[in-house]
Amino acid sequence: MSERKVLNKYFPPDFDPSLIPRRRGPKNSQQVVRLMAPFSMRCNTCGEYIYKGKKFNARKETVDGEDYYGIKIFRFYIKCTLCSAEITFKTDPKNTDYTAEHGASRNFEPWREEKVVEEEDRLARLEEEENNPMKVLENRTVDAKREMDILDALQDIRARNARNERVGQSVDLVARLTVEEVETEEERERRLAEEEDEKLVREVFMKVPMPGPSGSSSAAGDSENSPGDATSPPLITIKRKADDVEPDLRNLLPESTRIALDTKSLGAPPAKKPKSDLKNKLGIKIAKKSKLAV
């Protein structure tokens, strides 16, 4: 079975394309094309507005006797969506646009009018300068003066912008320096406050060596003989009120510690606690092993 979509056709060796009869249609036949309205327009018959982009099934034909530097101009026929009146418009290769021809008027577009007015002024000026050399000189003088004014205004704007930029930079610099000065003063005040706090803490809290018993003098003498066995006395921190007389260290110690220090200084050994017989309290009797006769 042959393929449904055939890409390559078979041509026999004796095929002669010149023998194929050519179909001759009318010289200016119309084609049905699908297009969108190229501009907003209003129907002259019923006043219906047709917006840009509205889709139509239009008929296209080539305009006889009109072209723009060899570019063909086409005419399109559409029908109004309300009254079915025929509307025609043509291509405009000169302005790369479309022009309404019959049955509708194009909506007002101010930017198009400005372009048209500028083009008309330019053509009128060229036509006026063509046969009047004095007018050419006057126009050149006016153009030169206008250019000088534009350059002066541009130079003023540049100078103003540069001046504003310099002023802005100086203002930023002054603000930055002010902020740095404020931060420096704050840091100085903070440092002074911290030094005062540390000084007050050193005055309130003070580390002193803990006093030992009376035999510490002999121990100190022994330690002088044997420096390797010497141990530094422990340091304790005492707290006292600022601007007050320093209290005695012994008065700051608890009562039990003072009694222990007094006992050690007298040389009496501390009382030993009697060992409690746990076996008797728990009611446990241990049987003694009898000695074996030898």
Side-chain angles (χ1 to χ4, degrees):
M1 188 173 71
S2 61
E3 295 183 13
R4 183 172 61 87
K5 294 182 179 180
V6 181
L7 300 178
N8 298 323
K9 305 290 185 180
Y10 173 73
F11 295 96
D14 56 349
F15 176 73
D16 188 5
S18 61
L19 299 178
I20 299 175
R22 298 186 177 277
R23 184 179 59 181
R24 296 185 180 276
K27 186 176 181 181
N28 191 9
S29 62
Q30 295 181 350
Q31 299 177 2
V32 178
V33 294
R34 182 77 171 173
L35 56 77
M36 293 187 294
F39 51 83
S40 299
M41 63 188 83
R42 184 184 182 187
C43 179
N44 294 336
T45 303
C46 63
E48 175 70 10
Y49 286 96
I50 301 173
Y51 59 88
K52 180 180 180 180
K54 180 73 174 177
K55 293 182 179 180
F56 292 95
N57 292 326
R59 292 178 288 117
K60 183 183 77 170
E61 68 177 8
T62 305
V63 180
D64 293 334
E66 293 185 20
D67 62 352
Y68 179 75
Y69 293 103
I71 301 175
K72 294 182 180 179
I73 297 176
F74 298 98
R75 181 183 289 113
F76 299 92
Y77 298 86
I78 61 174
K79 291 184 178 181
C80 177
T81 56
L82 184 63
C83 64
S84 299
E86 192 173 61
I87 300 173
T88 62
F89 55 88
K90 297 187 301 183
T91 58
D92 186 9
K94 180 179 180 180
N95 301 316
T96 62
D97 200 1
Y98 292 83
T99 57
E101 186 179 19
H102 175 72
S105 58
R106 187 167 182 167
N107 292 346
F108 176 72
E109 297 172 350
W111 56 89
R112 292 185 65 254
E113 295 297 328
E114 290 178 0
K115 292 181 180 179
V116 171
V117 171
E118 290 178 0
E119 185 66 18
E120 291 179 355
D121 293 343
R122 188 180 67 84
L123 294 177
R125 180 177 176 178
L126 292 176
E127 185 178 358
E128 186 178 8
E129 292 178 353
E130 187 175 359
N131 298 322
N132 192 351
M134 292 300 296
K135 191 66 177 179
V136 174
L137 183 59
E138 291 178 2
N139 293 337
R140 287 180 181 177
T141 305
V142 172
D143 293 341
K145 185 178 180 180
R146 186 185 301 111
E147 290 179 1
M148 292 297 295
D149 294 341
I150 293 172
L151 291 176
D152 293 341
L154 183 60
Q155 187 66 25
D156 294 341
I157 293 172
R158 288 178 178 174
R160 191 183 308 113
N161 292 341
R163 185 167 58 254
N164 293 338
E165 187 176 358
R166 288 195 299 272
V167 170
Q169 290 179 356
S170 61
V171 170
D172 295 342
L173 182 59
V174 170
R176 195 181 303 111
L177 292 175
T178 306
V179 171
E180 291 179 356
E181 290 178 357
V182 171
E183 291 179 354
T184 307
E185 292 178 359
E186 291 179 356
E187 291 178 357
R188 189 183 302 106
E189 293 177 358
R190 190 184 302 110
R191 189 178 67 257
L192 293 175
E194 291 178 356
E195 291 178 356
E196 292 178 0
D197 294 342
E198 291 179 359
K199 184 178 180 182
L200 183 61
V201 167
R202 283 195 300 269
E203 291 178 355
V204 174
F205 295 95
M206 183 177 183
K207 288 185 178 182
V208 297
M210 182 176 180
S214 60
S216 59
S217 59
S218 60
D222 296 340
S223 63
E224 290 176 358
N225 300 330
S226 58
D229 299 338
T231 56
S232 61
L235 298 177
I236 61 173
T237 303
I238 63 172
K239 180 180 179 182
R240 64 184 181 83
K241 293 182 179 180
D243 300 335
D244 198 358
V245 180
E246 183 177 354
D248 188 10
L249 180 60
R250 185 175 292 276
N251 296 333
L252 297 175
L253 295 177
E255 186 177 358
S256 58
T257 307
R258 289 201 300 270
I259 293 172
L261 292 175
D262 294 338
T263 305
K264 288 181 180 179
S265 62
L266 294 175
K272 295 184 179 179
K273 293 182 179 180
K275 293 184 179 179
S276 59
D277 194 354
L278 298 177
K279 299 175 184 179
N280 297 332
K281 288 183 178 181
L282 297 176
I284 300 173
K285 293 182 179 181
I286 301 173
K288 296 182 179 179
K289 295 182 180 180
S290 60
K291 296 181 180 180
L292 299 175
V294 180

